[in-house]
Amino acid sequence: MLPALPFWQAISRLADRLAAKVNKGEPRQRRAAGVLAFILLWGSLALLAALLFYSAELPLVIQGLAFYLAFSDPRPAKLSAVESLAKAPARELLGSVLKRNCSRYSQEGLYKATIEGRWRVTKERLLLVLLLAFGAGLPAFLIRAWWVIGDRWHPARPGFGDFGKALVPIAWLGRALGAPLALFWTVLALKPSALFSREKPRQMAMLATALGCQLGGPLLIGGHKISRERVGPGQPADVATLRRLRILAMGGESATFLLVALALVLVH
């Protein structure tokens, strides 16, 4: 795991300040403001990436820097911190990662939510690894920028229901781009969020078996209660489960890196 750089924290703060300025008024006005803010912030990043791409005398250096920024992610560290935090801070931290209210989660519910969050992060990181196979450092950088902006303007956040709708159509495209990941790690769901929100979570049963714990059960998302089946062994999720998940996720990411590296060697 690469060390998290403050670059994305700066982008997050910029997105928050921009939203605070324009996310006002009626729903129609908020939707329009969301579109304009998205074009302004994300378009500026795209312009920066284009200038680097066309003016750099050392393209490999720029590609490497772009990938480093793309993989620099503070969320795994946040999710790992849940293991050592008291319930209240852990719920608040998980809420900031998953973009839903976790204030009433039990201890086991916190562990399950942490598993969900880590699985989502892994899915995104594997997509970036696939881009590495094509030398697409700048596209990886822009995709990571889209995730960061979408995280700050998520429709599930209070006050962003209309403002965040500007990002929804692009989110559909982002989900479609995740499909090839199943070729590298079949345990990984094509849509990690759907893996945890289906009433009959068959795919989640694979993860529960791999971790040796029980997943599923009732879930409250956006005010709607989902009655999911409980899957996996009867052992409840605990700190040891989170450690096993971390090893499983890092193993999957490392294996994907090796497959991509092998493919590049064979091609060249």
Side-chain angles (χ1 to χ4, degrees):
M1 183 186 304
L2 296 176
L5 299 179
F7 179 81
W8 297 117
Q9 287 88 325
I11 296 298
S12 297
R13 288 193 294 270
L14 181 59
D16 287 339
R17 291 178 181 177
L18 182 59
K21 291 288 186 181
V22 299
N23 189 23
K24 302 173 182 178
E26 298 298 323
R28 183 176 179 181
Q29 180 181 344
R30 290 190 175 196
R31 285 193 291 270
V35 173
L36 293 175
F38 177 79
I39 293 174
L40 176 62
L41 185 54
W42 200 86
S44 300
L45 289 170
L47 178 61
L48 173 62
L51 289 174
L52 289 173
F53 180 78
Y54 288 109
S55 63
E57 296 181 0
L58 298 173
L60 291 179
V61 175
I62 297 301
Q63 292 281 352
L65 176 61
F67 267 113
Y68 190 87
L69 287 174
F71 278 97
S72 176
D73 191 343
R75 288 176 300 170
K78 289 183 178 180
L79 293 169
S80 297
V82 173
E83 302 176 22
S84 57
L85 288 176
K87 284 186 180 180
R91 290 175 182 139
E92 183 177 351
L93 188 60
L94 277 175
S96 68
V97 174
L98 298 178
K99 297 298 170 291
R100 65 170 181 257
N101 185 3
C102 302
S103 60
R104 301 176 65 183
Y105 281 15
S106 64
Q107 188 66 57
E108 182 182 355
L110 290 175
Y111 291 141
K112 289 182 179 180
T114 304
I115 291 172
E116 176 184 352
R118 188 63 178 88
W119 212 241
R120 291 186 182 187
V121 170
T122 298
K123 182 252 187 176
E124 294 177 0
R125 289 168 67 86
L126 290 183
L127 175 57
L128 296 178
V129 173
L130 289 180
L131 292 175
L132 173 63
F134 300 97
L138 291 176
F141 169 80
L142 295 176
I143 288 176
R144 183 76 178 93
W146 146 247
W147 287 335
V148 171
I149 297 173
D151 180 71
R152 302 314 304 162
W153 297 345
H154 199 288
R157 291 185 63 195
F160 282 80
D162 296 298
F163 187 80
K165 287 180 180 178
L167 306 173
V168 172
I170 307 176
W172 296 339
L173 176 62
R175 285 184 175 183
L177 292 174
L181 298 178
L183 299 175
F184 288 90
W185 197 7
T186 56
V187 179
L188 188 66
L190 300 184
K191 298 179 181 179
S193 58
L195 182 151
F196 287 90
S197 61
R198 290 173 180 164
E199 294 182 1
K200 296 183 178 181
R202 296 184 180 89
Q203 294 177 336
M204 187 166 65
M206 300 169 64
L207 177 60
T209 301
L211 295 177
C213 72
Q214 185 181 85
L215 298 175
L219 179 65
L220 188 65
I221 298 181
H224 301 285
K225 185 177 181 180
I226 301 174
S227 299
R228 304 173 302 173
E229 294 181 0
R230 297 185 183 274
V231 295
Q235 178 70 25
D238 54 17
V239 174
T241 305
L242 299 183
R243 296 194 187 101
R244 287 194 294 271
L245 173 63
R246 192 158 55 245
I247 294 173
L248 180 63
M250 293 179 65
E253 293 174 15
S254 300
T256 305
F257 266 113
L258 291 176
L259 287 173
V260 170
L262 179 61
L264 291 175
V265 170
L266 294 176
V267 169
H268 297 287

